[in-house]
mmCIF file of all heavy atoms in Angstrom:
data_model
loop_
_atom_site.group_PDB
_atom_site.id
_atom_site.type_symbol
_atom_site.label_atom_id
_atom_site.label_comp_id
_atom_site.label_asym_id
_atom_site.label_seq_id
_atom_site.Cartn_x
_atom_site.Cartn_y
_atom_site.Cartn_z
ATOM 1 N N THR K 112 3.746 27.153 1.677
ATOM 2 C CA THR K 112 3.138 27.613 2.865
ATOM 3 C C THR K 112 1.622 27.900 2.628
ATOM 4 O O THR K 112 1.108 27.303 1.705
ATOM 5 C CB THR K 112 3.792 29.018 3.185
ATOM 6 O OG1 THR K 112 3.312 30.011 2.355
ATOM 7 C CG2 THR K 112 5.296 29.063 3.314
ATOM 8 N N THR K 113 1.046 28.355 3.553
ATOM 9 C CA THR K 113 -0.502 28.498 3.254
ATOM 10 C C THR K 113 -0.754 29.905 2.622
ATOM 11 O O THR K 113 -1.997 30.370 2.603
ATOM 12 C CB THR K 113 -1.291 28.420 4.594
ATOM 13 O OG1 THR K 113 -0.730 29.457 5.475
ATOM 14 C CG2 THR K 113 -1.044 27.203 5.322
ATOM 15 N N GLN K 114 0.177 30.515 2.045
ATOM 16 C CA GLN K 114 0.068 31.849 1.505
ATOM 17 C C GLN K 114 -0.237 31.794 0.021
ATOM 18 O O GLN K 114 0.183 30.837 -0.604
ATOM 19 C CB GLN K 114 1.335 32.735 1.716
ATOM 20 C CG GLN K 114 1.865 32.711 3.098
ATOM 21 C CD GLN K 114 3.318 33.102 3.283
ATOM 22 O OE1 GLN K 114 3.996 33.550 2.280
ATOM 23 N NE2 GLN K 114 3.928 32.765 4.432
ATOM 24 N N ILE K 115 -0.839 32.829 -0.491
ATOM 25 C CA ILE K 115 -1.001 33.027 -2.020
ATOM 26 C C ILE K 115 -0.365 34.362 -2.334
ATOM 27 O O ILE K 115 -0.231 35.228 -1.410
ATOM 28 C CB ILE K 115 -2.489 32.902 -2.410
ATOM 29 C CG1 ILE K 115 -3.326 34.029 -1.961
ATOM 30 C CG2 ILE K 115 -3.114 31.537 -1.988
ATOM 31 C CD1 ILE K 115 -4.691 34.082 -2.599
ATOM 32 N N ASN K 116 -0.092 34.522 -3.650
ATOM 33 C CA ASN K 116 0.481 35.720 -3.990
ATOM 34 C C ASN K 116 -0.545 36.971 -3.901
ATOM 35 O O ASN K 116 -1.737 36.762 -4.208
ATOM 36 C CB ASN K 116 0.869 35.766 -5.499
ATOM 37 C CG ASN K 116 2.193 34.940 -5.593
ATOM 38 O OD1 ASN K 116 2.604 34.162 -4.697
ATOM 39 N ND2 ASN K 116 2.832 35.145 -6.613
ATOM 40 N N HIS K 117 0.013 38.049 -3.488
ATOM 41 C CA HIS K 117 -0.881 39.323 -3.408
ATOM 42 C C HIS K 117 -0.290 40.424 -4.372
ATOM 43 O O HIS K 117 0.880 40.852 -4.274
ATOM 44 C CB HIS K 117 -0.750 39.794 -1.923
ATOM 45 C CG HIS K 117 -1.692 41.031 -1.656
ATOM 46 N ND1 HIS K 117 -1.792 41.507 -0.388
ATOM 47 C CD2 HIS K 117 -2.533 41.604 -2.334
ATOM 48 C CE1 HIS K 117 -2.620 42.457 -0.453
ATOM 49 N NE2 HIS K 117 -3.088 42.537 -1.600
ATOM 50 N N LEU K 118 -1.135 40.782 -5.346
ATOM 51 C CA LEU K 118 -0.855 41.820 -6.244
ATOM 52 C C LEU K 118 -1.302 43.153 -5.751
ATOM 53 O O LEU K 118 -2.614 43.318 -5.343
ATOM 54 C CB LEU K 118 -1.385 41.501 -7.609
ATOM 55 C CG LEU K 118 -0.772 40.422 -8.480
ATOM 56 C CD1 LEU K 118 -0.948 39.066 -7.808
ATOM 57 C CD2 LEU K 118 -1.278 40.432 -9.855
ATOM 58 N N SER K 119 -0.553 44.129 -5.818
ATOM 59 C CA SER K 119 -0.863 45.425 -5.281
ATOM 60 C C SER K 119 -1.828 46.200 -6.193
ATOM 61 O O SER K 119 -2.350 47.249 -5.799
ATOM 62 C CB SER K 119 0.347 46.342 -4.886
ATOM 63 O OG SER K 119 1.188 46.511 -6.129
ATOM 64 N N SER K 120 -1.947 45.793 -7.379
ATOM 65 C CA SER K 120 -2.852 46.524 -8.471
ATOM 66 C C SER K 120 -3.165 45.427 -9.468
ATOM 67 O O SER K 120 -2.480 44.414 -9.607
ATOM 68 C CB SER K 120 -2.014 47.732 -9.072
ATOM 69 O OG SER K 120 -0.831 47.303 -9.615
ATOM 70 N N PRO K 121 -4.070 45.753 -10.240
ATOM 71 C CA PRO K 121 -4.514 44.825 -11.362
ATOM 72 C C PRO K 121 -3.353 44.469 -12.219
ATOM 73 O O PRO K 121 -2.690 45.333 -12.689
ATOM 74 C CB PRO K 121 -5.703 45.521 -12.109
ATOM 75 C CG PRO K 121 -6.171 46.470 -11.104
ATOM 76 C CD PRO K 121 -5.080 47.006 -10.371
ATOM 77 N N PRO K 122 -3.234 43.178 -12.595
ATOM 78 C CA PRO K 122 -2.134 42.853 -13.563
ATOM 79 C C PRO K 122 -2.521 43.144 -15.009
ATOM 80 O O PRO K 122 -3.580 43.365 -15.332
ATOM 81 C CB PRO K 122 -2.146 41.257 -13.261
ATOM 82 C CG PRO K 122 -3.525 40.903 -12.980
ATOM 83 C CD PRO K 122 -4.068 42.071 -12.179
ATOM 84 N N THR K 123 -1.432 43.211 -15.799
ATOM 85 C CA THR K 123 -1.807 43.347 -17.251
ATOM 86 C C THR K 123 -2.341 41.919 -17.670
ATOM 87 O O THR K 123 -2.160 40.964 -17.034
ATOM 88 C CB THR K 123 -0.518 43.497 -18.043
ATOM 89 O OG1 THR K 123 0.380 42.440 -17.836
ATOM 90 C CG2 THR K 123 0.090 44.831 -17.580
ATOM 91 N N PRO K 124 -3.073 41.915 -18.753
ATOM 92 C CA PRO K 124 -3.761 40.643 -19.221
ATOM 93 C C PRO K 124 -2.605 39.608 -19.458
ATOM 94 O O PRO K 124 -2.836 38.446 -19.124
ATOM 95 C CB PRO K 124 -4.357 41.093 -20.495
ATOM 96 C CG PRO K 124 -4.799 42.453 -20.246
ATOM 97 C CD PRO K 124 -3.699 43.074 -19.523
ATOM 98 N N LEU K 125 -1.461 39.963 -20.033
ATOM 99 C CA LEU K 125 -0.332 39.058 -20.405
ATOM 100 C C LEU K 125 0.124 38.438 -19.019
ATOM 101 O O LEU K 125 0.347 37.216 -18.915
ATOM 102 C CB LEU K 125 0.704 39.720 -21.088
ATOM 103 C CG LEU K 125 2.006 38.828 -21.494
ATOM 104 C CD1 LEU K 125 1.520 37.616 -22.277
ATOM 105 C CD2 LEU K 125 2.913 39.570 -22.238
ATOM 106 N N HIS K 126 0.424 39.318 -17.916
ATOM 107 C CA HIS K 126 0.954 38.789 -16.673
ATOM 108 C C HIS K 126 0.017 37.931 -16.036
ATOM 109 O O HIS K 126 0.423 36.862 -15.544
ATOM 110 C CB HIS K 126 1.308 40.081 -15.911
ATOM 111 C CG HIS K 126 1.885 39.647 -14.539
ATOM 112 N ND1 HIS K 126 3.158 39.177 -14.373
ATOM 113 C CD2 HIS K 126 1.410 39.709 -13.224
ATOM 114 C CE1 HIS K 126 3.413 38.876 -13.140
ATOM 115 N NE2 HIS K 126 2.297 39.252 -12.412
ATOM 116 N N PHE K 127 -1.302 38.356 -16.063
ATOM 117 C CA PHE K 127 -2.424 37.537 -15.403
ATOM 118 C C PHE K 127 -2.496 36.079 -16.080
ATOM 119 O O PHE K 127 -2.622 35.116 -15.382
ATOM 120 C CB PHE K 127 -3.636 38.218 -15.599
ATOM 121 C CG PHE K 127 -4.815 37.627 -14.752
ATOM 122 C CD1 PHE K 127 -4.645 37.129 -13.462
ATOM 123 C CD2 PHE K 127 -6.041 37.382 -15.416
ATOM 124 C CE1 PHE K 127 -5.731 36.554 -12.756
ATOM 125 C CE2 PHE K 127 -7.119 36.867 -14.786
ATOM 126 C CZ PHE K 127 -6.918 36.376 -13.412
ATOM 127 N N PHE K 128 -2.393 36.121 -17.436
ATOM 128 C CA PHE K 128 -2.563 34.773 -18.158
ATOM 129 C C PHE K 128 -1.293 33.988 -17.832
ATOM 130 O O PHE K 128 -1.403 32.784 -17.506
ATOM 131 C CB PHE K 128 -2.567 35.142 -19.633
ATOM 132 C CG PHE K 128 -2.665 33.838 -20.439
ATOM 133 C CD1 PHE K 128 -3.874 33.106 -20.574
ATOM 134 C CD2 PHE K 128 -1.545 33.242 -21.040
ATOM 135 C CE1 PHE K 128 -4.015 31.917 -21.188
ATOM 136 C CE2 PHE K 128 -1.706 32.091 -21.747
ATOM 137 C CZ PHE K 128 -2.915 31.358 -21.831
ATOM 138 N N ARG K 129 -0.081 34.517 -17.907
ATOM 139 C CA ARG K 129 1.252 33.689 -17.795
ATOM 140 C C ARG K 129 1.418 33.246 -16.316
ATOM 141 O O ARG K 129 1.769 32.057 -16.196
ATOM 142 C CB ARG K 129 2.363 34.596 -18.243
ATOM 143 C CG ARG K 129 2.587 34.699 -19.657
ATOM 144 C CD ARG K 129 3.834 35.487 -19.921
ATOM 145 N NE ARG K 129 4.167 35.490 -21.444
ATOM 146 C CZ ARG K 129 5.169 36.289 -21.932
ATOM 147 N NH1 ARG K 129 5.841 37.041 -21.071
ATOM 148 N NH2 ARG K 129 5.507 36.186 -23.134
ATOM 149 N N GLU K 130 1.156 34.075 -15.383
ATOM 150 C CA GLU K 130 1.588 33.716 -14.014
ATOM 151 C C GLU K 130 0.383 33.125 -13.229
ATOM 152 O O GLU K 130 0.659 32.437 -12.202
ATOM 153 C CB GLU K 130 1.950 35.028 -13.265
ATOM 154 C CG GLU K 130 3.208 35.701 -13.984
ATOM 155 C CD GLU K 130 4.396 34.790 -13.877
ATOM 156 O OE1 GLU K 130 4.488 34.068 -13.047
ATOM 157 O OE2 GLU K 130 5.147 34.816 -14.976
ATOM 158 N N TYR K 131 -0.926 33.104 -13.632
ATOM 159 C CA TYR K 131 -1.964 32.775 -12.869
ATOM 160 C C TYR K 131 -2.984 31.758 -13.583
ATOM 161 O O TYR K 131 -3.273 30.708 -13.141
ATOM 162 C CB TYR K 131 -2.683 33.886 -12.157
ATOM 163 C CG TYR K 131 -1.786 34.625 -11.309
ATOM 164 C CD1 TYR K 131 -1.130 35.749 -11.740
ATOM 165 C CD2 TYR K 131 -1.332 34.119 -9.956
ATOM 166 C CE1 TYR K 131 -0.149 36.471 -10.904
ATOM 167 C CE2 TYR K 131 -0.274 34.802 -9.215
ATOM 168 C CZ TYR K 131 0.216 35.930 -9.598
ATOM 169 O OH TYR K 131 1.148 36.608 -8.911
ATOM 170 N N ILE K 132 -3.465 32.272 -14.741
ATOM 171 C CA ILE K 132 -4.403 31.453 -15.527
ATOM 172 C C ILE K 132 -3.721 30.166 -16.025
ATOM 173 O O ILE K 132 -4.308 29.122 -15.764
ATOM 174 C CB ILE K 132 -5.085 32.253 -16.616
ATOM 175 C CG1 ILE K 132 -5.882 33.496 -16.072
ATOM 176 C CG2 ILE K 132 -5.963 31.324 -17.390
ATOM 177 C CD1 ILE K 132 -6.309 34.349 -17.282
ATOM 178 N N SER K 133 -2.617 30.371 -16.690
ATOM 179 C CA SER K 133 -1.967 29.126 -17.380
ATOM 180 C C SER K 133 -1.534 28.151 -16.333
ATOM 181 O O SER K 133 -1.797 27.004 -16.435
ATOM 182 C CB SER K 133 -0.768 29.581 -18.136
ATOM 183 O OG SER K 133 -0.102 28.468 -18.731
ATOM 184 N N PRO K 134 -0.965 28.570 -15.203
ATOM 185 C CA PRO K 134 -0.490 27.620 -14.136
ATOM 186 C C PRO K 134 -1.640 27.188 -13.172
ATOM 187 O O PRO K 134 -1.403 26.373 -12.214
ATOM 188 C CB PRO K 134 0.610 28.196 -13.420
ATOM 189 C CG PRO K 134 0.430 29.668 -13.567
ATOM 190 C CD PRO K 134 -0.165 29.814 -14.890
ATOM 191 N N ASN K 135 -2.795 27.777 -13.424
ATOM 192 C CA ASN K 135 -4.032 27.407 -12.503
ATOM 193 C C ASN K 135 -3.583 27.763 -11.097
ATOM 194 O O ASN K 135 -3.713 26.916 -10.189
ATOM 195 C CB ASN K 135 -4.331 25.964 -12.710
ATOM 196 C CG ASN K 135 -5.706 25.643 -12.082
ATOM 197 O OD1 ASN K 135 -5.919 24.809 -11.255
ATOM 198 N ND2 ASN K 135 -6.842 26.299 -12.709
ATOM 199 N N LYS K 136 -3.222 29.074 -10.726
ATOM 200 C CA LYS K 136 -2.794 29.447 -9.586
ATOM 201 C C LYS K 136 -3.534 30.656 -9.095
ATOM 202 O O LYS K 136 -3.745 31.642 -9.687
ATOM 203 C CB LYS K 136 -1.292 29.805 -9.753
ATOM 204 C CG LYS K 136 -0.518 30.342 -8.446
ATOM 205 C CD LYS K 136 0.902 30.570 -8.841
ATOM 206 C CE LYS K 136 1.707 31.116 -7.623
ATOM 207 N NZ LYS K 136 3.106 31.374 -7.872
ATOM 208 N N PRO K 137 -4.048 30.590 -7.803
ATOM 209 C CA PRO K 137 -4.893 31.733 -7.273
ATOM 210 C C PRO K 137 -4.054 32.871 -6.938
ATOM 211 O O PRO K 137 -2.688 32.799 -6.652
ATOM 212 C CB PRO K 137 -5.533 31.118 -6.032
ATOM 213 C CG PRO K 137 -4.543 30.079 -5.537
ATOM 214 C CD PRO K 137 -3.952 29.547 -6.810
ATOM 215 N N CYS K 138 -4.597 34.111 -6.763
ATOM 216 C CA CYS K 138 -3.919 35.316 -6.277
ATOM 217 C C CYS K 138 -4.967 36.298 -5.778
ATOM 218 O O CYS K 138 -6.107 36.184 -6.091
ATOM 219 C CB CYS K 138 -3.092 35.967 -7.420
ATOM 220 S SG CYS K 138 -3.971 36.626 -8.753
ATOM 221 N N LEU K 139 -4.439 37.125 -4.851
ATOM 222 C CA LEU K 139 -5.351 38.181 -4.239
ATOM 223 C C LEU K 139 -4.841 39.503 -4.980
ATOM 224 O O LEU K 139 -3.721 39.749 -5.107
ATOM 225 C CB LEU K 139 -5.152 38.331 -2.715
ATOM 226 C CG LEU K 139 -5.888 39.275 -2.032
ATOM 227 C CD1 LEU K 139 -7.389 38.772 -1.978
ATOM 228 C CD2 LEU K 139 -5.391 39.377 -0.550
ATOM 229 N N ILE K 140 -5.956 40.309 -5.256
ATOM 230 C CA ILE K 140 -5.549 41.588 -6.041
ATOM 231 C C ILE K 140 -6.148 42.765 -5.253
ATOM 232 O O ILE K 140 -7.415 42.762 -5.070
ATOM 233 C CB ILE K 140 -6.139 41.525 -7.546
ATOM 234 C CG1 ILE K 140 -5.509 40.158 -8.210
ATOM 235 C CG2 ILE K 140 -5.729 42.743 -8.280
ATOM 236 C CD1 ILE K 140 -6.262 39.958 -9.503
ATOM 237 N N SER K 141 -5.369 43.715 -4.991
ATOM 238 C CA SER K 141 -5.876 44.974 -4.439
ATOM 239 C C SER K 141 -6.002 46.170 -5.408
ATOM 240 O O SER K 141 -5.437 45.963 -6.507
ATOM 241 C CB SER K 141 -4.900 45.491 -3.336
ATOM 242 O OG SER K 141 -4.788 44.500 -2.268
ATOM 243 N N ASN K 142 -6.737 47.138 -5.051
ATOM 244 C CA ASN K 142 -6.961 48.398 -5.852
ATOM 245 C C ASN K 142 -7.447 48.010 -7.268
ATOM 246 O O ASN K 142 -7.134 48.725 -8.170
ATOM 247 C CB ASN K 142 -5.538 49.120 -5.886
ATOM 248 C CG ASN K 142 -5.055 49.510 -4.562
ATOM 249 O OD1 ASN K 142 -5.740 50.105 -3.757
ATOM 250 N ND2 ASN K 142 -3.825 49.043 -4.197
ATOM 251 N N ALA K 143 -8.441 47.051 -7.415
ATOM 252 C CA ALA K 143 -8.913 46.731 -8.676
ATOM 253 C C ALA K 143 -10.383 47.272 -8.869
ATOM 254 O O ALA K 143 -10.788 47.474 -9.999
ATOM 255 C CB ALA K 143 -8.782 45.296 -8.905
ATOM 256 N N ILE K 144 -10.942 47.554 -7.696
ATOM 257 C CA ILE K 144 -12.395 48.071 -7.814
ATOM 258 C C ILE K 144 -12.552 49.512 -7.180
ATOM 259 O O ILE K 144 -13.736 49.728 -6.908
ATOM 260 C CB ILE K 144 -13.326 46.951 -7.324
ATOM 261 C CG1 ILE K 144 -13.138 46.684 -5.820
ATOM 262 C CG2 ILE K 144 -13.260 45.672 -8.084
ATOM 263 C CD1 ILE K 144 -14.198 45.827 -5.168
ATOM 264 N N ASN K 145 -11.587 50.185 -6.931
ATOM 265 C CA ASN K 145 -11.608 51.391 -6.144
ATOM 266 C C ASN K 145 -12.562 52.450 -6.900
ATOM 267 O O ASN K 145 -13.104 53.275 -6.307
ATOM 268 C CB ASN K 145 -10.344 52.099 -6.070
ATOM 269 C CG ASN K 145 -9.445 51.209 -5.141
ATOM 270 O OD1 ASN K 145 -9.757 50.240 -4.535
ATOM 271 N ND2 ASN K 145 -8.066 51.607 -5.120
ATOM 272 N N HIS K 146 -12.670 52.175 -8.304
ATOM 273 C CA HIS K 146 -13.375 53.231 -9.039
ATOM 274 C C HIS K 146 -14.975 52.762 -9.064
ATOM 275 O O HIS K 146 -15.783 53.468 -9.635
ATOM 276 C CB HIS K 146 -12.876 53.248 -10.480
ATOM 277 C CG HIS K 146 -12.954 51.865 -11.134
ATOM 278 N ND1 HIS K 146 -12.213 50.733 -10.819
ATOM 279 C CD2 HIS K 146 -13.788 51.356 -12.101
ATOM 280 C CE1 HIS K 146 -12.409 49.721 -11.694
ATOM 281 N NE2 HIS K 146 -13.396 50.011 -12.400
ATOM 282 N N TRP K 147 -15.199 51.662 -8.489
ATOM 283 C CA TRP K 147 -16.708 51.297 -8.518
ATOM 284 C C TRP K 147 -17.461 52.190 -7.561
ATOM 285 O O TRP K 147 -17.189 52.316 -6.395
ATOM 286 C CB TRP K 147 -16.890 49.820 -8.008
ATOM 287 C CG TRP K 147 -16.446 48.684 -8.837
ATOM 288 C CD1 TRP K 147 -15.891 48.819 -10.088
ATOM 289 C CD2 TRP K 147 -16.756 47.439 -8.752
ATOM 290 N NE1 TRP K 147 -15.521 47.690 -10.635
ATOM 291 C CE2 TRP K 147 -16.131 46.669 -9.823
ATOM 292 C CE3 TRP K 147 -17.299 46.615 -7.691
ATOM 293 C CZ2 TRP K 147 -16.173 45.247 -9.829
ATOM 294 C CZ3 TRP K 147 -17.313 45.282 -7.721
ATOM 295 C CH2 TRP K 147 -16.819 44.566 -8.922
ATOM 296 N N PRO K 148 -18.586 52.711 -8.076
ATOM 297 C CA PRO K 148 -19.525 53.430 -7.098
ATOM 298 C C PRO K 148 -20.014 52.501 -5.928
ATOM 299 O O PRO K 148 -20.373 52.971 -4.854
ATOM 300 C CB PRO K 148 -20.703 53.861 -7.993
ATOM 301 C CG PRO K 148 -20.125 53.955 -9.364
ATOM 302 C CD PRO K 148 -19.044 52.938 -9.452
ATOM 303 N N ALA K 149 -20.117 51.220 -6.231
ATOM 304 C CA ALA K 149 -20.532 50.193 -5.237
ATOM 305 C C ALA K 149 -19.772 50.267 -4.035
ATOM 306 O O ALA K 149 -20.288 50.046 -2.865
ATOM 307 C CB ALA K 149 -20.582 48.844 -5.772
ATOM 308 N N THR K 150 -18.506 50.631 -4.017
ATOM 309 C CA THR K 150 -17.499 50.499 -2.869
ATOM 310 C C THR K 150 -17.941 51.536 -1.817
ATOM 311 O O THR K 150 -17.579 51.554 -0.760
ATOM 312 C CB THR K 150 -16.167 50.654 -3.348
ATOM 313 O OG1 THR K 150 -15.996 51.962 -4.001
ATOM 314 C CG2 THR K 150 -15.668 49.536 -4.217
ATOM 315 N N THR K 151 -18.704 52.609 -2.406
ATOM 316 C CA THR K 151 -19.229 53.615 -1.436
ATOM 317 C C THR K 151 -20.667 53.434 -1.241
ATOM 318 O O THR K 151 -21.235 53.450 -0.077
ATOM 319 C CB THR K 151 -18.941 55.015 -2.065
ATOM 320 O OG1 THR K 151 -17.579 55.170 -2.207
ATOM 321 C CG2 THR K 151 -19.448 56.075 -1.066
ATOM 322 N N LEU K 152 -21.459 53.279 -2.255
ATOM 323 C CA LEU K 152 -22.901 53.340 -2.315
ATOM 324 C C LEU K 152 -23.503 52.152 -1.524
ATOM 325 O O LEU K 152 -24.493 52.266 -0.779
ATOM 326 C CB LEU K 152 -23.430 53.382 -3.617
ATOM 327 C CG LEU K 152 -23.241 54.710 -4.355
ATOM 328 C CD1 LEU K 152 -23.817 54.532 -5.807
ATOM 329 C CD2 LEU K 152 -23.857 55.925 -3.669
ATOM 330 N N TRP K 153 -22.808 50.983 -1.623
ATOM 331 C CA TRP K 153 -23.504 49.715 -1.092
ATOM 332 C C TRP K 153 -23.274 49.659 0.425
ATOM 333 O O TRP K 153 -23.805 48.634 1.129
ATOM 334 C CB TRP K 153 -22.958 48.481 -1.764
ATOM 335 C CG TRP K 153 -23.501 48.389 -3.212
ATOM 336 C CD1 TRP K 153 -24.165 49.308 -3.843
ATOM 337 C CD2 TRP K 153 -23.224 47.270 -4.057
ATOM 338 N NE1 TRP K 153 -24.355 48.896 -5.166
ATOM 339 C CE2 TRP K 153 -23.920 47.665 -5.322
ATOM 340 C CE3 TRP K 153 -22.558 46.088 -3.934
ATOM 341 C CZ2 TRP K 153 -23.735 46.761 -6.411
ATOM 342 C CZ3 TRP K 153 -22.479 45.225 -5.079
ATOM 343 C CH2 TRP K 153 -23.058 45.620 -6.291
ATOM 344 N N HIS K 154 -22.439 50.600 0.981
ATOM 345 C CA HIS K 154 -22.348 50.587 2.540
ATOM 346 C C HIS K 154 -23.562 51.294 3.140
ATOM 347 O O HIS K 154 -23.651 51.286 4.278
ATOM 348 C CB HIS K 154 -21.024 51.292 2.951
ATOM 349 C CG HIS K 154 -19.850 50.433 2.553
ATOM 350 N ND1 HIS K 154 -19.274 49.563 3.505
ATOM 351 C CD2 HIS K 154 -19.146 50.405 1.450
ATOM 352 C CE1 HIS K 154 -18.222 48.987 2.962
ATOM 353 N NE2 HIS K 154 -18.071 49.373 1.646
ATOM 354 N N SER K 155 -24.429 51.906 2.303
ATOM 355 C CA SER K 155 -25.574 52.531 2.771
ATOM 356 C C SER K 155 -26.837 51.628 2.627
ATOM 357 O O SER K 155 -27.249 51.266 1.547
ATOM 358 C CB SER K 155 -25.873 53.823 1.855
ATOM 359 O OG SER K 155 -27.126 54.416 2.161
#
Side-chain angles (χ1 to χ4, degrees):
T112 70
T113 61
Q114 308 159 17
I115 68 170
N116 284 20
H117 187 178
L118 285 65
S119 60
S120 59
T123 65
L125 180 60
H126 182 69
F127 186 47
F128 180 81
R129 282 181 171 175
E130 300 299 323
Y131 299 101
I132 299 174
S133 180
N135 198 240
K136 180 178 179 179
C138 63
L139 184 71
I140 305 168
S141 295
N142 300 308
I144 62 171
N145 295 348
H146 61 287
W147 286 10
T150 59
T151 300
L152 295 175
W153 292 6
H154 289 270
S155 167

